[in-house]
Amino acid sequence: MTRKVGQGTTVRVDVDGAAAFGTREDNVFGMLARAAESVRSGESLLPTIEELDGWFSRLQAVQAEVGAQHATTLRQEAVLMDDRVRLETRRSDLEDADLASAALDLQAQEVAYQAALMSSARVLQSSLMDYLR
């Protein structure tokens, strides 16, 4: 079973049980049962210990495979987080207003508006005498 963890990157998220623990006929659990029977009967454990070493090596190989898959997932997670930060910064640069610049522009427009109002009030100033003429 594989999962997509990034664009063009898939990671296997399972392990074949037969590869890790053996088949129905020959598996680690049967070997452990045979070892327990050898202990109960007082037989030598040397052949069982050698078989246990083989299973241990097999399980280490499977564990290494899982570790490699996990490392790939962690690397891809870091790449995706970097992409997210980069894209958010780019979006911010494109969309967010510069607050200081916007406040200065607003203040400048307000001053220009006030000046226009004052000059038009002086030009159009009419008095009672101008009205009576």
Side-chain angles (χ1 to χ4, degrees):
M1 176 182 301
T2 60
R3 293 288 184 244
K4 185 175 181 178
V5 294
Q7 189 167 347
T9 305
T10 58
V11 174
R12 186 171 177 188
V13 295
D14 66 343
V15 175
D16 181 27
F21 301 110
T23 62
R24 183 173 291 226
E25 296 80 28
D26 180 36
N27 61 50
V28 70
F29 305 109
M31 187 272 315
L32 290 173
R34 287 190 303 277
E37 187 59 39
S38 295
V39 168
R40 285 189 204 105
S41 66
E43 296 175 15
S44 172
L45 285 177
L46 188 59
T48 307
I49 290 174
E50 290 172 357
E51 187 179 358
L52 180 62
D53 285 341
W55 282 107
F56 185 69
S57 297
R58 194 171 178 175
L59 287 173
Q60 281 182 324
V62 171
Q63 186 178 18
E65 181 182 336
V66 170
Q69 293 165 354
H70 185 248
T72 301
T73 303
L74 290 178
R75 273 193 311 275
Q76 191 61 34
E77 180 183 24
V79 167
L80 291 174
M81 290 300 288
D82 288 345
D83 286 349
R84 181 179 178 185
V85 169
R86 183 181 48 81
L87 290 174
E88 182 61 30
T89 301
R90 186 171 176 203
R91 185 205 57 82
S92 177
D93 290 344
L94 294 173
E95 292 180 357
D96 294 349
D98 181 13
L99 191 55
S101 175
L104 287 174
D105 289 345
L106 178 63
Q107 186 68 30
Q109 290 175 3
E110 186 177 350
V111 167
Y113 176 69
Q114 293 294 329
L117 284 178
M118 289 175 68
S119 65
S120 65
R122 287 198 179 138
V123 169
L124 298 175
Q125 193 176 37
S126 56
S127 64
L128 184 56
M129 292 305 276
D130 290 334
Y131 180 69
L132 291 176
R133 281 192 217 168

